[in-house]
Amino acid sequence: TDLLPTCNGEITTMSFLQDVVDILLQYVVKSFDRSTKVIDFHYPNELLQEYNWELADQPQTLEEILSNCRTTLKYAIKTGHPRYFNQLSTGLDMVGLAADWLTSAANTNMFTYEIAPVFVLLEYVTLRKMREMVGWPGGCGDGIFSPGGAISNMYAMLIARFKMFPEVKEKGMAAIPRLVAFTSEHSHFSVKKGAAALGIGTDSVILIRCDERGKMIPSDLERRIVEAKQKGFVPFLVSATAGTTVYGAFDPLIAIADICKKYKIWMHVDGAWGGGLLMSRKHKWKLNGIERANSVTWNPHKMMGVPLQCSALLVREEGLMQSCNQMHASYLFQQDKHYDLSYDTGDKALQCGRHVDVFKLWLMWRAKGTTGFEAQIDKCLELAEYLYNKIKNREGYEMVFDGKPQHTNVCFWYIPPSLRGMEDNEERTSRLMKVAPVIKARMMEYGTTMVSYQPLGDKVNFFRMVISNPAATHQDIDFLIDEIERLGQDL
């Protein structure tokens, strides 16, 4: 009750917000301090019992509110810490953080130019620049920032379906033939999730075999398309992956584009993880062929280090998103406004309320330039190569696949001394499966570092080390290896 807009609340408000900023700044500084923990881990029941999190009828004091802020950050994972490697999105960019603060203070919605004039223009400019980098002439086309790569991929499915069968918008799935989509067996689960949400069904997503490096095999794709057509199904979308989640593999986009052209199928490229490599002159060849895609997902909140969330769906054909999604809500999209209505972007989105995600990316791009993003991405890839070279022949390590990784994903097993002389049999496999989860649990309990693990196909739990944090150094990679060995020696 003491804060604005209450009468004479200015001084109290400024003091309160200054205290909040001090708490945040202390957290930011700690995030980059290697002597601090990445995580102060407690089990859920411990945290629930240790503090009173319940909502009450009566208000708390501002001092108690500040205490809530401190407690929340005390147990937050320091995703900006140089030794946090757990997710594809890591790091803490100061300009991006400032942009996020400004966006929250502005607290507006992206659906019309009327209430978000600068933000709408920045989205227009930034999406055009991203389409240019994809390779579409003059940055032509359309696009939108969505709540994440999964939603961007679903947008692509929605638009591809509408392009082939526009009547589905009014009449629904019952009015059109049985559709099928194709994606690799290593693709992101969001392709199936999108098919489920759109009423296409997960059984209608056909998984294409990958080679040993995790890349889609084009001959298998063509075989499965022909098979589907013979069964009377209608292939409407191929989702290729540029940077798979686990292996960091890049599907052969040129060969896939040839097949899509031959069979007149929409080609989508899920570049949520690998799209950032378009910023790098050294590495963008891995996405050769992306310019032939009909749509592209690109998540700057991953490899480019933009604060969450920031995901773009780019579409080559202008106007298609609008036709697919518009509902002409007259209370928002009046046709007799006094400015150019093409800047009212809300009717091409699935959402009504849409967060301002573009400002973080735009401001960071202004601060770094394309060359700054390029240097940041090249550094992360160099660190991944350093890690690979360090462990590929090191005792106690086995690589999950042969050869240098294409992205910053380095996948490996740590083999404790007790398993090193063992014959490769069922007992060894069953014991090896338990190694990574135990080491990960110990990492979290000590709080020193975090790196993810998972099984894949017939391969038991292995570490998937990913590097997208510009704060990480060679010393942090060395530390991680030492820590895995320290925590796993006795297993």
Side-chain angles (χ1 to χ4, degrees), residues 53-69:
W53 305 100
E54 298 303 319
L55 298 167
D57 292 337
Q58 299 305 314
Q60 286 189 317
T61 65
L62 291 182
E63 199 44 60
E64 287 171 317
I65 295 301
L66 290 171
S67 175
N68 294 159
C69 292

Side-chain angles (χ1 to χ4, degrees), residues 194-333:
L198 296 175
I200 294 163
T202 57
D203 287 351
S204 298
V205 177
I206 296 170
L207 299 182
I208 306 305
R209 286 193 299 113
C210 291
D211 64 19
E212 68 285 349
R213 295 294 302 269
K215 301 179 184 192
M216 187 193 290
I217 300 171
S219 59
D220 193 52
L221 171 63
E222 184 162 22
R223 180 180 70 80
R224 300 302 297 273
I225 290 171
V226 171
E227 254 178 33
K229 286 168 76 74
Q230 286 168 349
K231 290 176 182 172
F233 302 151
V234 177
F236 82 107
L237 173 131
V238 173
S239 180
T241 312
T244 58
T245 309
V246 180
Y247 282 8
F250 289 77
D251 286 342
L253 301 182
I254 294 171
I256 292 168
D258 289 342
I259 292 166
C260 288
K261 182 180 178 185
K262 179 176 176 181
Y263 294 98
K264 298 183 173 60
I265 303 173
W266 183 282
M267 178 183 171
H268 174 63
V269 175
D270 177 4
W273 175 220
L277 270 58
L278 290 168
M279 311 291 278
S280 166
R281 285 166 292 188
K282 183 177 179 183
H283 295 285
K284 67 181 179 183
W285 64 269
K286 296 167 188 176
L287 295 105
N288 283 351
I290 195 171
E291 70 284 354
R292 295 176 62 187
N294 298 95
S295 57
V296 173
T297 291
W298 177 355
N299 285 10
H301 70 227
K302 289 194 168 83
M303 200 64 211
M304 292 164 67
V306 176
L308 284 159
Q309 61 198 28
C310 189
S311 172
L313 184 274
L314 310 171
V315 183
R316 190 165 63 187
E317 183 178 332
E318 193 173 356
L320 197 54
M321 286 192 84
Q322 187 83 3
S323 304
C324 178
N325 295 322
Q326 71 184 159
M327 291 295 159
H328 305 286
S330 59
Y331 60 88
L332 275 180
F333 309 115

